[in-house]
Amino acid sequence: MKPKKPKETAAEMTELVLPNDTNTLGNLMGGRLMHWMDIVSAISAQMHCNRIVVTAAVDFVDFKHPIHLGEIVKLSARVTRAFNTSMEVYVKVIGKNLRTGEEKFCNQAYFTFVAVDQDGLPISVPPIEPETEEEKAQYEDALARRNMRLMLAGKIKPDLKILSDLLT
Amino acid sequence: MKPKKPKETAAEMTELVLPNDTNTLGNLMGGRLMHWMDIVSAISAQMHCNRIVVTAAVDFVDFKHPIHLGEIVKLSARVTRAFNTSMEVYVKVIGKNLRTGEEKFCNQAYFTFVAVDQDGLPISVPPIEPETEEEKAQYEDALARRNMRLMLAGKIKPDLKILSDLLT
Amino acid sequence: MKPKKPKETAAEMTELVLPNDTNTLGNLMGGRLMHWMDIVSAISAQMHCNRIVVTAAVDFVDFKHPIHLGEIVKLSARVTRAFNTSMEVYVKVIGKNLRTGEEKFCNQAYFTFVAVDQDGLPISVPPIEPETEEEKAQYEDALARRNMRLMLAGKIKPDLKILSDLLT
Amino acid sequence: MKPKKPKETAAEMTELVLPNDTNTLGNLMGGRLMHWMDIVSAISAQMHCNRIVVTAAVDFVDFKHPIHLGEIVKLSARVTRAFNTSMEVYVKVIGKNLRTGEEKFCNQAYFTFVAVDQDGLPISVPPIEPETEEEKAQYEDALARRNMRLMLAGKIKPDLKILSDLLT
Amino acid sequence: MKPKKPKETAAEMTELVLPNDTNTLGNLMGGRLMHWMDIVSAISAQMHCNRIVVTAAVDFVDFKHPIHLGEIVKLSARVTRAFNTSMEVYVKVIGKNLRTGEEKFCNQAYFTFVAVDQDGLPISVPPIEPETEEEKAQYEDALARRNMRLMLAGKIKPDLKILSDLLT
Amino acid sequence: MKPKKPKETAAEMTELVLPNDTNTLGNLMGGRLMHWMDIVSAISAQMHCNRIVVTAAVDFVDFKHPIHLGEIVKLSARVTRAFNTSMEVYVKVIGKNLRTGEEKFCNQAYFTFVAVDQDGLPISVPPIEPETEEEKAQYEDALARRNMRLMLAGKIKPDLKILSDLLT
């Protein structure tokens, strides 16, 4: 399979925060935001493999700033690395206040998707060929994050070496 | 503030998987499930602190089994431990096939919420008093998970000791 | 077919009242609540018969207290009695204010469902075996309620004896 | 207050049955239909009293025919009688198959609404002046249905005379 | 194919403006209104041809008055003329304030639909036989509007004669 | 007020076609697409003026290709020209099949928005300074399109000169 570049997998999504997306303080609920993050990441993964994809895992998400009713949310996603049948997608969330024009970085996360065929069985995906420095760094670190996921999911034994790689 | 028992914070939610919740294979999308997990966890946290709560973080989520169109999803949440102004909530997801009656464990996660006042500022919450052995174990481990979150969010320095506690 | 106990058919649902669920006074609209009552009752009926079910009738519903924006609604349902191809489900609705922790009984109703096969044709369901005193009383009264429904639907002739049984 | 004629309170609603409105057989779920019945009835009651209204009760509903995905649902409502602060609304549901043009009567029901002021307190509504024979008959019978509701809600003592009036 | 009268294709829809339909000023968003206009027009076209229809074009829409949260929107549509496989539908939108009873004309538009078979291929539709003076005038002008659409879509060459017919 | 460049007003939106967005052939309904076009255009207009905006008009829309269930829709919008209190926004819609990677141009339209203050009254907006050849051409033609709108809305007298400008 022909490798793809991260930019070929880039997906952008813009959402307007409506009343039903907010809590009683008028702030976007975290679950709604994760729903959007999952959709834009899945689109990115599908642009990479041209297959149906299913969410396999979501890494730690840290919500840094509230987003308010009437503000807009800009989500951007791209594939950082592909493994055999899975892809890691990096997604970044920016909140934008349309009155002031001000943008704030709200959160980021890594989603993992598996490509499947019509029977739902895993199927191989093309490799990723990083271009920029940032893409290359994310590509390198993707392996440690993958090992971390396997540890947290109980599929491989805990290994401090992996953790140490991830944090330094 | 008077401590509360985990069972006083228990919240149950049942959802039916409808067409708009599924991908083109007819499987529940991960983002929709996270949306529901956030709502039931937030309700649990609010039952603990009787305040408005905002999602602060979501730990690693591993999606183990697909849930299909027409199946039901049973979510149950309870607070495991309260810190100064934040609460850790454990949420478990069971998929149930109504034709066979079969239930399967689908995933679990820890959500962190912060209690806020009407101006959105953090406010103290009561402590948790675990009762059962499982609750006591989750209460103990909550501290290591909290340190892990602070590390991942870049708020404290990486510390292998914490990771080692978490994994063993 | 092996009889089932009411507790094996118990379904719990928790919903958060969002802006789109309310009228301009900020109170939950009756129709949205009936929608949720139908879903939780249908899940209960499906847990009893492991078949697709269709709503056949809804008895009188009396809305006792308003439920407000941001409050939660706890619905619980269980099958009270099964007839040939139909099941009567009892559903109870509790509104809970998360700030005060206060709960109020909002309403209750009896829904009737018919089990159907893939062609939509009625199909037999197992009997119910009540255990507690309350379950036994509901099981006994289910027959009078069923006759009442047949009268109101014009399927049997009006009979004051039935009404008298139902009200005393 | 100046009386109104039932035709001045007439409200029509047409809905298209979409995938999320149906069960796994592709039939409209009863709860969604009741949601629509509540909205069209509330609009009718508001056209009568020009006030915010809240659903107070729903009488027995009997679902006669399934309505399928892609079919349309025509709902029509009008106020049959006003009491002090409440109004009884009659709502009729027709399913229409757009391929054959065939229409089928699906169900009908009586909804009761209470008019409220900005604080949610009951407020007087104008009387109804029926014109046609059918409207006059519904106006007459509304009293027996109201007594029946009060009995079923436990607000007045059971009285076989009332039931007998209602059924004959 | 037997011709139909415009009144046989009449479709009425009533919608209540809910929080998620509005912008932060509490006014109905234009896109939501166009969504409703498309649905009621499609129903009208389907009542004419008894086939699945797809939206082919929407003419100029001018939004004259804002509609507010809690107000109702009355949409009415009817087919003005049928061409070979397409139909022009006229849709009119009235906003109604339920407190004052006041109605205001909000906008109107012409939608064009194509009838299709199960494979999505265009299929012939019956002609329209206008009855009233207004229907006859709309029927006559439909041809000029159709030519205008073909010009705007780049399917025929610009022709000032057509424009002149349309505007005078 | 400081002029803005069209690229400063660019808004991108990506949507996944879900079951509730489609007709019974599995094709995206025109009204849903117009709803999305309105949202992305409104965001673009708000990025230009940093004010709340209301939809004033939508020019002719021609739907060229069906978009199917499970495909994605890419919408991009930018302001072409600002007048006193209004802005013209150009929006383009691309459908993308994720299995083949193929993209098709689906439609384009011009939306007009008016900037309003908190009381809903029109308020001045900054001018647009086009940069590229395409932007300059759209800026020039915007005046003829505006005159056409005023004619179609009955606000100025029909003038063949304007039409002639628009079509050649």
Side-chain angles (χ1 to χ4, degrees):
Chain A
M1 272 177 293
K2 202 172 151 286
K4 277 194 184 161
K5 294 173 179 51
K7 73 179 172 204
E8 295 175 80
T9 70
E12 302 281 325
M13 199 160 105
T14 307
E15 295 285 338
L16 185 63
V17 181
L18 294 176
N20 254 34
D21 306 324
T22 63
N23 63 18
T24 44
L25 284 181
N27 293 337
L28 177 61
M29 290 187 287
R32 172 63 79 182
L33 181 52
M34 284 188 287
H35 188 185
W36 292 338
M37 291 165 78
D38 179 61
I39 290 175
V40 75
S41 304
I43 289 171
S44 171
Q46 285 184 284
M47 286 169 77
H48 177 66
C49 65
N50 300 130
R51 289 285 177 175
I52 294 171
V53 301
V54 297
T55 313
V58 182
D59 290 6
F60 178 70
V61 185
D62 179 47
F63 296 90
K64 292 183 197 303
H65 294 101
I67 307 179
H68 305 285
L69 180 63
E71 293 189 349
I72 68 165
V73 184
K74 293 167 72 172
L75 304 106
S76 50
R78 66 164 186 264
V79 176
T80 55
R81 186 164 182 169
F83 295 95
N84 189 18
T85 61
S86 73
M87 293 146 284
E88 187 194 69
V89 179
Y90 170 70
V91 55
K92 198 171 85 174
V93 178
I94 302 286
K96 188 180 175 85
N97 183 313
L98 288 168
R99 294 300 291 274
T100 63
E102 183 201 8
E103 295 199 345
K104 60 193 169 195
F105 169 74
C106 289
N107 66 7
Q108 61 183 11
Y110 292 96
F111 278 65
T112 307
F113 293 90
V114 171
V116 294
D117 63 18
Q118 279 302 120
D119 302 317
L121 298 173
I123 192 165
S124 297
V125 300
I128 274 285
E129 214 167 72
E131 291 184 305
T132 69
E133 284 315 300
E134 192 194 356
E135 287 167 11
K136 281 174 187 164
Q138 283 185 319
Y139 181 91
E140 284 313 314
D141 294 348
L143 198 59
R145 283 191 297 267
R146 181 167 189 257
N147 283 325
M148 181 73 175
R149 267 167 229 134
L150 293 170
M151 263 196 280
L152 289 170
K155 288 172 189 162
I156 63 173
K157 279 201 303 186
D159 179 346
L160 278 184
K161 173 72 176 57
I162 291 168
L163 296 172
S164 159
D165 288 355
L166 193 65
L167 288 164
T168 54
Chain B
M1 273 177 291
K2 201 170 152 288
K4 277 193 184 163
K5 294 174 180 53
K7 74 180 172 203
E8 294 176 82
T9 70
E12 302 281 325
M13 198 160 106
T14 307
E15 295 286 338
L16 185 61
V17 181
L18 293 176
N20 254 34
D21 305 325
T22 63
N23 62 17
T24 44
L25 284 181
N27 293 338
L28 177 60
M29 290 186 288
R32 172 63 80 183
L33 181 51
M34 283 188 287
H35 188 185
W36 292 338
M37 290 165 78
D38 179 62
I39 291 174
V40 74
S41 304
I43 289 170
S44 172
Q46 286 184 282
M47 286 168 77
H48 178 65
C49 65
N50 300 129
R51 288 286 176 174
I52 294 171
V53 301
V54 297
T55 313
V58 182
D59 290 5
F60 178 71
V61 185
D62 179 47
F63 296 89
K64 293 183 196 304
H65 294 101
I67 307 179
H68 305 286
L69 180 63
E71 292 188 350
I72 68 167
V73 183
K74 293 166 73 171
L75 304 107
S76 49
R78 65 163 185 265
V79 177
T80 56
R81 186 163 181 170
F83 296 95
N84 188 19
T85 61
S86 73
M87 295 147 284
E88 187 194 70
V89 179
Y90 170 70
V91 55
K92 197 171 84 173
V93 178
I94 301 285
K96 187 181 175 86
N97 183 314
L98 288 168
R99 293 301 292 274
T100 62
E102 183 202 7
E103 294 198 346
K104 60 193 170 195
F105 169 74
C106 288
N107 66 7
Q108 62 184 9
Y110 291 96
F111 279 64
T112 307
F113 293 89
V114 170
V116 294
D117 62 19
Q118 279 303 121
D119 301 317
L121 298 173
I123 193 165
S124 298
V125 300
I128 275 285
E129 213 168 72
E131 291 184 306
T132 69
E133 283 315 302
E134 191 195 358
E135 288 167 10
K136 282 175 186 163
Q138 282 185 320
Y139 181 91
E140 284 312 315
D141 295 348
L143 198 59
R145 284 190 298 267
R146 182 167 188 258
N147 283 325
M148 181 73 174
R149 266 166 231 135
L150 292 170
M151 263 195 280
L152 289 170
K155 288 172 189 160
I156 62 173
K157 280 203 301 188
D159 178 346
L160 279 183
K161 172 72 175 59
I162 290 168
L163 296 173
S164 158
D165 287 356
L166 193 65
L167 287 164
T168 53
Chain C
M1 272 177 292
K2 200 170 152 291
K4 277 194 185 161
K5 293 173 180 53
K7 73 178 173 205
E8 295 176 80
T9 70
E12 302 281 326
M13 198 160 106
T14 307
E15 295 286 339
L16 184 63
V17 181
L18 293 175
N20 254 33
D21 305 325
T22 63
N23 62 18
T24 43
L25 284 181
N27 292 337
L28 176 61
M29 289 187 287
R32 173 64 79 184
L33 181 51
M34 284 188 286
H35 189 184
W36 292 337
M37 290 165 78
D38 180 62
I39 291 174
V40 73
S41 303
I43 289 171
S44 171
Q46 285 184 284
M47 286 170 76
H48 178 66
C49 65
N50 300 130
R51 288 286 177 174
I52 294 171
V53 301
V54 296
T55 313
V58 182
D59 290 6
F60 178 72
V61 186
D62 179 46
F63 296 89
K64 292 183 197 303
H65 295 101
I67 307 179
H68 305 286
L69 180 64
E71 292 189 349
I72 68 166
V73 184
K74 293 166 72 173
L75 304 107
S76 49
R78 66 163 185 266
V79 177
T80 55
R81 184 162 181 170
F83 295 96
N84 189 17
T85 61
S86 73
M87 294 146 284
E88 186 194 71
V89 179
Y90 170 71
V91 55
K92 198 170 84 173
V93 178
I94 302 286
K96 187 181 176 85
N97 183 312
L98 288 168
R99 294 300 291 274
T100 62
E102 183 202 9
E103 295 198 346
K104 61 193 169 195
F105 169 74
C106 289
N107 68 5
Q108 61 183 12
Y110 291 96
F111 278 65
T112 307
F113 293 90
V114 170
V116 295
D117 62 19
Q118 279 302 121
D119 301 317
L121 298 173
I123 193 166
S124 298
V125 299
I128 275 285
E129 214 168 72
E131 290 183 306
T132 68
E133 284 315 301
E134 191 195 357
E135 287 168 11
K136 282 174 187 164
Q138 282 185 319
Y139 181 92
E140 284 312 314
D141 294 348
L143 198 59
R145 284 191 298 266
R146 181 168 189 257
N147 283 324
M148 181 72 174
R149 266 167 231 135
L150 293 170
M151 264 195 280
L152 289 170
K155 289 172 187 160
I156 63 172
K157 281 202 302 190
D159 178 346
L160 279 183
K161 173 71 176 57
I162 291 168
L163 297 173
S164 159
D165 287 356
L166 193 64
L167 289 164
T168 53
Chain D
M1 271 176 292
K2 202 171 151 288
K4 277 193 186 161
K5 293 176 179 51
K7 73 180 173 203
E8 295 176 80
T9 70
E12 302 282 324
M13 197 161 107
T14 307
E15 295 286 339
L16 185 62
V17 181
L18 293 175
N20 254 35
D21 306 324
T22 63
N23 62 18
T24 43
L25 283 182
N27 292 337
L28 177 60
M29 290 187 287
R32 172 64 79 183
L33 182 50
M34 283 189 287
H35 188 185
W36 292 337
M37 291 164 78
D38 179 62
I39 291 175
V40 74
S41 303
I43 289 171
S44 171
Q46 285 183 282
M47 286 169 76
H48 178 65
C49 65
N50 300 129
R51 289 286 177 174
I52 295 171
V53 301
V54 297
T55 313
V58 182
D59 290 6
F60 178 70
V61 186
D62 179 47
F63 296 89
K64 292 184 196 304
H65 294 102
I67 307 179
H68 306 285
L69 181 63
E71 291 189 350
I72 68 165
V73 184
K74 294 166 70 171
L75 304 107
S76 49
R78 66 163 184 265
V79 176
T80 56
R81 186 163 181 170
F83 296 95
N84 189 18
T85 61
S86 72
M87 294 146 285
E88 186 193 72
V89 179
Y90 170 71
V91 54
K92 198 170 85 173
V93 178
I94 302 285
K96 187 179 176 86
N97 182 312
L98 287 168
R99 294 300 291 273
T100 63
E102 183 201 9
E103 294 198 347
K104 62 194 169 193
F105 170 74
C106 288
N107 66 7
Q108 61 183 11
Y110 291 96
F111 279 65
T112 307
F113 293 89
V114 170
V116 295
D117 62 19
Q118 279 302 121
D119 301 317
L121 298 174
I123 193 165
S124 296
V125 300
I128 275 285
E129 213 167 73
E131 291 184 306
T132 69
E133 284 315 300
E134 192 195 357
E135 286 167 11
K136 282 174 186 165
Q138 281 185 320
Y139 180 92
E140 284 312 315
D141 293 349
L143 198 60
R145 284 190 296 267
R146 182 167 188 257
N147 284 325
M148 181 74 175
R149 267 167 229 134
L150 293 170
M151 265 195 279
L152 289 170
K155 289 171 189 162
I156 63 172
K157 281 203 302 188
D159 179 345
L160 280 183
K161 173 72 177 56
I162 290 168
L163 297 173
S164 159
D165 287 355
L166 193 64
L167 288 164
T168 54
Chain E
M1 272 176 294
K2 201 170 151 290
K4 277 193 185 164
K5 294 173 179 52
K7 73 179 172 204
E8 294 175 81
T9 70
E12 303 282 325
M13 199 160 105
T14 306
E15 294 286 339
L16 185 62
V17 181
L18 293 175
N20 254 34
D21 305 325
T22 63
N23 62 18
T24 43
L25 284 181
N27 292 338
L28 177 61
M29 290 187 287
R32 173 63 80 184
L33 181 52
M34 284 189 286
H35 188 184
W36 292 338
M37 289 165 79
D38 179 62
I39 290 173
V40 75
S41 303
I43 289 170
S44 171
Q46 284 183 285
M47 286 169 77
H48 178 66
C49 66
N50 300 130
R51 289 285 177 174
I52 294 170
V53 301
V54 297
T55 312
V58 182
D59 290 5
F60 178 71
V61 185
D62 179 47
F63 296 90
K64 293 183 198 303
H65 294 100
I67 307 180
H68 305 285
L69 180 63
E71 291 189 352
I72 68 166
V73 184
K74 292 166 72 171
L75 305 107
S76 49
R78 67 163 184 266
V79 177
T80 56
R81 185 162 181 170
F83 296 96
N84 188 19
T85 61
S86 73
M87 294 147 285
E88 187 194 70
V89 179
Y90 170 71
V91 55
K92 198 170 85 173
V93 178
I94 302 285
K96 189 182 174 84
N97 182 312
L98 289 168
R99 294 300 291 273
T100 62
E102 183 201 8
E103 295 199 344
K104 60 192 169 197
F105 170 74
C106 288
N107 67 4
Q108 61 184 11
Y110 291 96
F111 279 64
T112 307
F113 293 90
V114 171
V116 294
D117 62 19
Q118 279 303 122
D119 301 318
L121 298 173
I123 193 166
S124 298
V125 299
I128 275 285
E129 214 168 72
E131 290 184 305
T132 69
E133 285 314 301
E134 192 195 357
E135 287 167 10
K136 281 174 187 164
Q138 283 184 319
Y139 181 92
E140 284 312 314
D141 295 348
L143 198 60
R145 284 190 297 266
R146 182 166 189 258
N147 283 325
M148 181 74 174
R149 266 166 230 135
L150 293 170
M151 264 195 280
L152 289 170
K155 287 172 190 162
I156 64 172
K157 280 202 302 188
D159 179 346
L160 278 183
K161 172 71 177 56
I162 290 168
L163 296 172
S164 159
D165 287 356
L166 193 64
L167 287 164
T168 52
Chain F
M1 273 177 291
K2 201 171 152 288
K4 277 192 184 164
K5 295 174 179 52
K7 73 180 173 204
E8 295 176 80
T9 70
E12 303 281 325
M13 197 160 107
T14 307
E15 294 286 337
L16 184 63
V17 181
L18 293 176
N20 254 34
D21 305 325
T22 64
N23 63 17
T24 45
L25 284 181
N27 292 338
L28 177 61
M29 289 187 288
R32 172 64 79 184
L33 181 51
M34 284 188 287
H35 188 184
W36 292 337
M37 290 165 78
D38 179 62
I39 290 174
V40 75
S41 304
I43 288 170
S44 171
Q46 285 183 282
M47 286 169 77
H48 178 65
C49 65
N50 300 130
R51 289 285 177 175
I52 294 171
V53 301
V54 297
T55 313
V58 182
D59 290 4
F60 178 71
V61 186
D62 179 47
F63 296 89
K64 292 183 196 304
H65 294 102
I67 307 179
H68 305 285
L69 180 64
E71 292 189 350
I72 68 166
V73 184
K74 293 167 72 171
L75 304 106
S76 49
R78 68 163 183 263
V79 176
T80 56
R81 185 163 182 170
F83 296 96
N84 188 18
T85 61
S86 73
M87 293 146 286
E88 187 195 71
V89 179
Y90 169 71
V91 55
K92 197 171 85 173
V93 178
I94 302 286
K96 187 181 175 87
N97 182 313
L98 288 168
R99 294 301 290 274
T100 63
E102 183 201 9
E103 294 198 347
K104 61 193 169 195
F105 169 74
C106 289
N107 66 7
Q108 62 184 10
Y110 292 97
F111 279 65
T112 307
F113 292 89
V114 171
V116 294
D117 63 18
Q118 280 303 121
D119 301 317
L121 298 174
I123 194 165
S124 297
V125 300
I128 275 285
E129 213 167 72
E131 291 183 305
T132 70
E133 284 315 301
E134 192 195 357
E135 286 167 11
K136 282 174 186 165
Q138 282 185 319
Y139 181 91
E140 284 311 315
D141 295 348
L143 198 59
R145 284 190 297 267
R146 182 168 189 256
N147 283 325
M148 180 74 175
R149 266 166 230 135
L150 293 170
M151 263 194 281
L152 289 170
K155 288 171 190 161
I156 63 173
K157 279 202 302 187
D159 179 345
L160 279 183
K161 172 72 177 57
I162 290 167
L163 297 172
S164 160
D165 288 355
L166 193 64
L167 288 164
T168 54

